[in-house]
Amino acid sequence: MPEKKATVMIVDDQPTNIHALASLLKVDYRILTATSGERALVMARGESPPDLILLDIVMPGMDGYDTCRRLKDDEATRSIPVIFVTALDDVEDEEKGLNLGAADYISKPFSPAIVRARVRNQVTLKLKTDMLEKISLQDGLTEIPNRRKFDQKLAEEWGRARRDGQPLSLLMIDIDQFKPYNDHYGHGAGDECLKRVAQAMAQTLSRTSDLLARYGGEEFVALLPGTDETGCRHLAESLLEAVRSLQLPHGLSDVAPHVTVSIGGATHSARTPKTNPETLKKSADDALYLAKQAGRNRYHHESGYASPITD
Ligand SMILES: [Mg+2]
C-alpha cells in the first residue's frame, strides 16, 4: 500500500449498503460516502476528490448511470475510476455501465475478497496514472513544472481572467549569458546553476496561484493570475533580487560577477485588447528582448516600464 491512504467514495442510497462496503475497505482506504448521485458529483468536484468511486446503479433522483455519465463528461472528474456496485446482474446492464466509461462492475451479493481485489486493482492503476501525469508535466532537472504544464495552465487562466475580468500577468525570464557559463564551468555546473536559479525563483513566488515553469534551456516563465502591472513589477524585482542573492560566481558575465537574469513582463487586463494567450507570450518576449538590449540583469514591462539598475 502507498504511504498515504488512497480515498474511496461509496455512493448508495441505502446506508446499510454503504456500511457493508465501508467496513470492508476502511482499513486500507480513507472512505467518503454519499447517499445520492447529486451529492457524489459535488464531492468528486471538491477539494479532495476520491481516487475511486463505488457507485450504486438504482437510486432515486439521479441514478448511477447518469452520475457516471456526468463524472465522465467533466474534465475535473473524468480520470476518477468508477466501479458499479449493483444487484442488477443482467449482462446488458453490465455492458451499459462499461460503455459509460466505468472501470469495472461488482454484482451483489458480493464476495468480500473480490471487492477488495477489484478496488485494489483500480486504485493501483489510478495512482500510477497520476504519477505518470505528474512526471509528464514536470521538468526532470529542476523539478518545477515544464512547458507543457505551463501551456495548459495559461489556457485555463486565460479563460478564467476573461470570465472574471481579472488581470493576468506573464513573465519571461532568461539567465544572462548562460552559454558562456556552461562552456566555462561545464555542463554539470550549468545544471546545478539552473536548479539553484529555479528553486530560488520558485520560493519567491509563494502564492499558490502563481506558476513558475522551465520553458526550455535557460528560459523560465512565470504566470501570475490576478496580478496587475504594479504587482507584476514587484514580483519581477523580487525574482531579480532572489537570483542576485544566490551570488553564484559568473566569471564570464559582462553584466555582473555573479549569475543574473533578465525579465520581460506583460499584463492582460479587462481594458487591454489582447487577442489570445500567444499575444501575451509574444508581448512578454518582446519586453524581455528590450531588457536584454538595455544591458540585462533588469526587468522591462511591455508598457515601457524599465527597472532601475541596482548592481
Ligand atoms: Mg440503490
Side-chain angles (χ1 to χ4, degrees), residues 202-265:
Q203 279 164 17
T204 305
L205 296 179
S206 54
R207 299 182 305 184
T208 50
S209 57
D210 295 339
L211 180 86
L212 177 76
R214 186 174 175 202
Y215 205 59
E218 71 272 28
E219 202 173 11
F220 297 86
V221 62
L223 188 65
L224 313 168
T227 306
D228 62 10
E229 186 188 334
T230 308
C232 183
R233 180 194 306 171
H234 287 309
L235 283 167
E237 302 287 358
S238 304
L239 292 173
L240 288 171
E241 193 47 44
V243 176
R244 288 178 193 132
S245 301
L246 290 173
Q247 290 289 317
L248 297 172
H250 191 339
L252 291 183
S253 171
D254 52 21
V255 179
H258 50 263
V259 170
T260 56
V261 291
S262 296
I263 306 179

Side-chain angles (χ1 to χ4, degrees), residues 4-301:
K4 187 169 160 276
K5 276 188 180 182
T7 302
V8 173
M9 179 159 72
I10 304 169
V11 188
D12 199 303
D13 58 312
Q14 301 291 329
T16 49
N17 291 343
I18 289 181
H19 184 75
L21 284 168
S23 62
L24 270 183
L25 300 170
K26 69 184 175 195
V27 176
D28 295 323
Y29 306 98
R30 193 170 77 92
I31 305 291
L32 297 176
T33 63
T35 51
S36 72
E38 290 87 347
R39 179 75 193 132
L41 289 179
V42 171
M43 289 171 70
R45 290 171 184 147
E47 285 290 302
S48 52
D51 298 299
L52 173 70
I53 298 175
L54 294 178
L55 186 56
D56 182 27
I57 291 182
V58 182
M59 296 186 287
M62 191 187 296
D63 69 8
Y65 293 131
D66 237 356
T67 308
C68 184
R69 193 176 291 118
R70 286 177 197 226
L71 287 165
K72 297 299 163 189
D73 278 348
D74 186 340
E75 181 68 37
T77 54
R78 182 172 300 158
S79 66
I80 307 171
V82 171
I83 298 180
F84 278 123
V85 183
T86 181
L88 299 172
D89 53 3
D90 193 295
V91 173
E92 253 175 62
D93 291 313
E94 181 163 345
E95 185 186 331
K96 184 172 175 185
L98 295 174
N99 281 337
L100 285 173
D104 207 346
Y105 213 90
I106 296 171
S107 308
K108 288 185 270 193
F110 50 70
S111 129
I114 287 185
V115 170
R116 284 203 200 93
R118 292 198 158 158
V119 166
R120 188 174 57 238
N121 287 346
Q122 293 305 328
V123 166
T124 303
L125 196 59
K126 171 65 162 55
L127 297 181
K128 272 187 193 160
T129 310
D130 285 355
M131 195 177 69
L132 288 175
E133 169 83 358
K134 186 165 176 258
I135 290 171
S136 77
L137 297 173
Q138 197 180 57
D139 175 54
L141 177 68
T142 60
E143 295 179 344
I144 64 171
N146 62 18
R147 182 176 185 148
R148 187 161 161 252
K149 171 71 185 177
F150 171 77
D151 284 332
Q152 277 184 10
K153 178 94 168 161
L154 175 57
E156 272 171 43
E157 292 296 345
W158 181 268
R160 194 198 308 272
R162 292 195 74 147
R163 282 195 304 276
D164 302 349
Q166 289 291 311
L168 177 66
S169 289
L170 193 156
L171 300 174
M172 292 291 240
I173 307 157
D174 247 15
I175 299 180
D176 294 322
Q177 298 178 320
F178 187 68
K179 190 179 181 306
Y181 185 96
N182 248 339
D183 291 346
H184 183 66
Y185 296 100
H187 287 278
D191 284 354
E192 192 55 34
C193 172
L194 287 166
K195 282 197 243 181
R196 297 280 307 274
V197 168
Q199 292 311 323
M201 292 197 295
Q203 279 164 17
T204 305
L205 296 179
S206 54
R207 299 182 305 184
T208 50
S209 57
D210 295 339
L211 180 86
L212 177 76
R214 186 174 175 202
Y215 205 59
E218 71 272 28
E219 202 173 11
F220 297 86
V221 62
L223 188 65
L224 313 168
T227 306
D228 62 10
E229 186 188 334
T230 308
C232 183
R233 180 194 306 171
H234 287 309
L235 283 167
E237 302 287 358
S238 304
L239 292 173
L240 288 171
E241 193 47 44
V243 176
R244 288 178 193 132
S245 301
L246 290 173
Q247 290 289 317
L248 297 172
H250 191 339
L252 291 183
S253 171
D254 52 21
V255 179
H258 50 263
V259 170
T260 56
V261 291
S262 296
I263 306 179
T267 302
H268 168 76
S269 76
R271 281 171 287 119
T272 53
K274 286 237 165 48
T275 50
N276 59 49
E278 289 305 314
T279 24
L280 186 64
K281 275 202 267 191
K282 173 79 167 57
S283 300
D285 215 26
D286 291 347
L288 173 61
Y289 177 78
L290 291 175
K292 288 184 189 176
Q293 286 295 105
R296 299 188 164 90
N297 187 23
R298 72 195 65 207
Y299 168 61
H300 206 288
H301 193 272

